[in-house]
Amino acid sequence: MPPLPLPLRSVVTTLRRYYGAPPRPVSRDPFRLILWEQVAYLVPDAQRHQAFKALREEVGLTPSDIEAASAATLVRIARLGGPIAAGVRAGRLRSSAERVMGRWDGHLAVALRGLPLAQARRALAQFAMIGEPGADKILVFGGRAHLLPLDSNGLRVLCRLGLTSEQRDYRATYRHAQASLAPVLPRTSAALVAAYYLLRRHGQELCRRKAPLCTRCPLQDRCPYGRAH
């Protein structure tokens, strides 16, 4: 009989021992986290940090700061976050600022605290490049929601470990994972954030979509996918 899947807590503990302590979030403010996602695309985290730092130092991170910035400045900073669609991403930074200024008078965090969780989630998901998983991540980072934020890397890790299973498409798989993991989540938001970062890193570095490095994986002995590879 194959061994039972490792509990989520054991997975996270093993990954922490292997990779070390995860980073702290760049912010817990929802608007800043939206900017963090939009300022860069398909680049390493270090490059995203560079673009975000430039935005903070040269423009500022409030909706009014973004609105006041010139289009050329936003495009130049967006290019620091990668060459793909830099102009489009610069426009998204401004559109997000305009949405917050026009709809919530510049105070997104305050507005979200006054909304039921489902409405707050929908409001965040409407921002470009955020969507449902991104909204969940922002709410968890801000201490508002109790669930496990997952990007595609973390979700792949959990599927391969047998802690959840793939469904008909990414959205269905994500929702199934949330339902599967709900009874076994860590209690604190700090633990949820740490789990997000560790699962994401593992999916990026070892449990890759293509050519995963299973023989180097500290979880291989209890991973159905790893034992088969």
Side-chain angles (χ1 to χ4, degrees):
M1 178 181 296
L4 294 173
L6 278 168
L8 178 62
R9 178 179 294 182
S10 297
V11 169
V12 173
T13 298
T14 300
L15 294 180
R16 186 188 289 270
R17 288 177 184 151
Y18 187 83
Y19 293 108
R24 293 181 179 180
V26 68
S27 179
R28 297 188 183 277
D29 176 78
F31 184 68
R32 293 186 177 195
L33 290 170
I34 290 169
L35 298 180
W36 169 260
E37 297 296 335
Q38 294 175 339
V39 77
Y41 182 64
L42 293 181
V43 295
D45 286 350
Q47 189 172 347
R48 187 179 295 273
H49 273 286
Q50 181 185 14
F52 189 75
K53 179 182 179 183
L55 186 65
R56 181 180 65 242
E57 294 179 351
E58 298 181 35
V59 174
L61 299 176
T62 69
S64 58
D65 290 332
I66 304 298
E67 274 197 323
S70 70
T73 297
L74 293 178
V75 170
R76 178 174 54 79
I77 291 173
R79 285 200 184 105
L80 294 175
I84 300 175
V88 173
R89 286 186 284 109
R92 288 170 175 168
L93 294 171
R94 188 181 302 281
S95 295
S96 295
E98 291 171 348
R99 176 189 289 267
V100 174
M101 292 296 293
R103 188 170 179 183
W104 296 294
D105 196 28
H107 302 293
L108 179 58
V110 175
L112 292 177
R113 285 197 295 269
L115 292 175
L117 183 58
Q119 290 184 27
R121 193 174 187 236
R122 286 195 295 270
L124 287 169
Q126 291 172 4
F127 286 89
M129 300 178 71
I130 301 302
E132 187 175 309
D136 286 346
K137 173 183 165 183
I138 291 170
L139 291 168
V140 172
F141 278 28
R144 178 73 194 281
H146 187 75
L147 51 83
L148 180 59
L150 292 166
D151 73 344
S152 60
N153 294 290
L155 187 57
R156 178 173 61 254
V157 171
L158 294 178
C159 287
R160 287 177 174 174
L161 285 169
L163 292 176
T164 189
S165 59
E166 292 190 25
Q167 305 297 305
R168 63 183 182 277
D169 55 32
Y170 179 82
R171 186 180 187 188
T173 301
Y174 177 84
R175 291 186 170 184
H176 181 73
Q178 294 300 337
S180 301
L181 297 168
V184 295
L185 291 178
R187 293 184 180 181
T188 67
S189 59
L192 292 167
V193 171
Y196 162 80
Y197 277 119
L198 290 166
L199 290 165
R200 176 176 179 266
R201 181 172 179 181
H202 190 56
Q204 289 175 327
E205 296 190 11
L206 294 187
C207 195
R208 303 180 303 197
R209 185 172 65 87
K210 294 183 178 179
L213 303 175
C214 294
T215 57
R216 291 171 50 187
C217 176
L219 301 166
Q220 184 183 20
D221 289 346
R222 295 287 296 275
C223 175
Y225 184 93
R227 292 196 309 273
H229 292 76

